[in-house]
Amino acid sequence: MQNFIQDIARQAGQISLQYRSRLAELNVTAKPASSKDLVTEADRAVETYLRDAITKRYPTHAILGEEFGTTPGQEYRWIIDPIDGTTSFVHNQPFYSISIALHRNDAPYLAAVYAPVFDELFSAQKNHGAQCNGKPIRVSNCRQLDQAVLGTGFACMRANLTENNLPYFQAILPKIRDVRRLGSAAIDLCYVASGRLDAFWELHLQTYDVAAGTLIVTEAGGTVSDFHNQTKNLPQQLLATNTHLHAPLSRLLTNVTP
Ligand code: 2AM
Ligand code: CA
């Protein structure tokens, strides 16, 4: 299964790159819920490829995908985001990824996040650590907020929700070294796992955005929770850190009045 999840992530990445090479011709539409929430033929083609490959190999497994919803099944459940960072993809930017998680009896078991433009495959297996292109990765050692670089995103504003990230952004930015906004929650989480970011927070993400990345973070020594250092508000509130910065960031986030 470990080889299979990585093979299909890479293959899905190749399909996305074919679409990317003729981006100008691509049919881009907005989802019914919001004019800012985009979907392309590439999202659908990648998810179709992944669903077909999984169903052929494991016909009894359940599948949850961003574009085509739920296929019922037993014991194992695949959670797919065919293109995480569709806005980046549509604007010909490199920060998008294919995100695939496999849960067994509702617990995270395997994960793969592939960033095709960088040819970087992040992967993890429960209790067996995390890797990038086969080499072990680890969260950063940063212990001071004023030396930390954080990632965040604004999914809530794309979805036109009233609760938004700006008050949190305003509270955190003055305390840290700098912030990055890459556009793919799955990549943000892998960057925390590999020490390129010291932490990441965002509101109103969906299970398919974060299922793979959160296992990769925890297997790399990081910590994932909601803003209150609990799990009950995941993934509506997500804080992923190198563990050292978890308590101070949780304190800052919970002091914000949204
Ligand atoms: P997407 O590109 O697959 O939609 C960027 O802030 C992150 O938020 C990306 O991972 C993006 O995933 C996700 N995102 C943005 N708007 C979203 C929405 N309405 N629902 C779920 N995820 C969203
Ligand atoms: Ca997504």
Side-chain angles (χ1 to χ4, degrees):
M1 273 184 180
Q2 176 85 281
N3 288 340
F4 176 74
I5 192 172
Q6 295 188 24
D7 289 349
I8 60 173
R10 282 189 180 277
Q11 186 57 39
Q14 293 312 309
I15 296 169
S16 75
L17 289 173
Q18 285 164 18
Y19 281 89
R20 191 175 187 261
S21 69
R22 48 179 195 84
L23 209 51
E25 303 156 35
L26 219 58
N27 185 9
V28 182
T29 48
K31 293 186 183 176
S34 162
S35 63
K36 301 179 209 163
D37 203 353
L38 305 177
V39 60
T40 72
E41 294 159 64
D43 298 68
R44 295 197 198 92
V46 170
E47 187 165 325
T48 299
Y49 160 75
L50 290 170
R51 282 179 177 271
D52 289 349
I54 293 164
T55 308
K56 197 165 159 208
R57 181 77 164 258
Y58 302 110
T60 62
H61 290 189
I63 303 173
L64 166 67
E66 174 163 6
E67 310 306 337
F68 297 119
T70 305
T71 304
Q74 294 142 14
E75 192 179 349
Y76 290 97
R77 185 159 58 115
W78 297 80
I79 303 166
I80 301 168
D81 194 339
I83 296 189
D84 186 48
T86 303
T87 304
S88 298
F89 182 82
V90 166
H91 288 261
N92 205 12
Q93 296 170 5
F95 289 100
Y96 76 89
S97 60
I98 285 83
S99 171
I100 310 172
L102 177 61
H103 285 193
R104 186 178 184 194
N105 297 323
D106 290 325
Y109 175 51
L110 287 177
V113 173
Y114 185 51
V117 179
F118 301 104
D119 189 25
E120 286 191 321
L121 178 67
F122 296 88
S123 59
Q125 180 177 357
K126 183 76 186 166
N127 298 327
H128 286 78
Q131 294 86 33
C132 178
N133 290 345
K135 296 201 179 82
I137 52 171
R138 198 69 210 155
V139 292
S140 75
N141 262 320
C142 179
R143 285 155 199 270
Q144 278 180 244
L145 286 178
D146 63 0
Q147 293 175 4
V149 176
L150 269 65
T152 190
F154 296 87
C156 49
M157 302 185 84
R158 253 175 61 191
N160 291 330
L161 297 168
T162 46
E163 186 183 29
N164 79 52
N165 194 12
L166 293 176
Y168 297 94
F169 192 80
Q170 204 161 11
I172 289 198
L173 192 53
K175 309 273 187 204
I176 62 175
R177 179 173 284 170
D178 209 345
V179 76
R180 295 288 179 270
R181 194 270 189 261
L182 303 179
S184 161
I187 291 183
D188 288 312
L189 289 164
C190 292
Y191 278 25
V192 173
S194 52
R196 295 173 186 176
L197 291 173
D198 303 298
F200 164 69
W201 88 93
E202 190 159 348
L203 294 157
H204 290 289
L205 293 169
Q206 303 285 335
T207 304
Y208 42 74
D209 299 318
V210 302
T214 50
L215 180 64
I216 294 170
V217 168
T218 52
E219 286 299 317
T223 301
V224 177
S225 75
D226 64 20
F227 292 173
H228 294 85
N229 204 4
Q230 292 169 3
T231 54
K232 67 171 189 260
N233 294 315
L234 286 171
Q236 282 72 33
Q237 293 180 342
L238 185 102
L239 172 63
T241 72
N242 66 357
T243 301
H244 307 298
L245 296 174
H246 212 79
L249 284 170
S250 171
R251 219 172 296 126
L252 272 178
L253 289 166
T254 47
N255 275 333
V256 171
T257 315

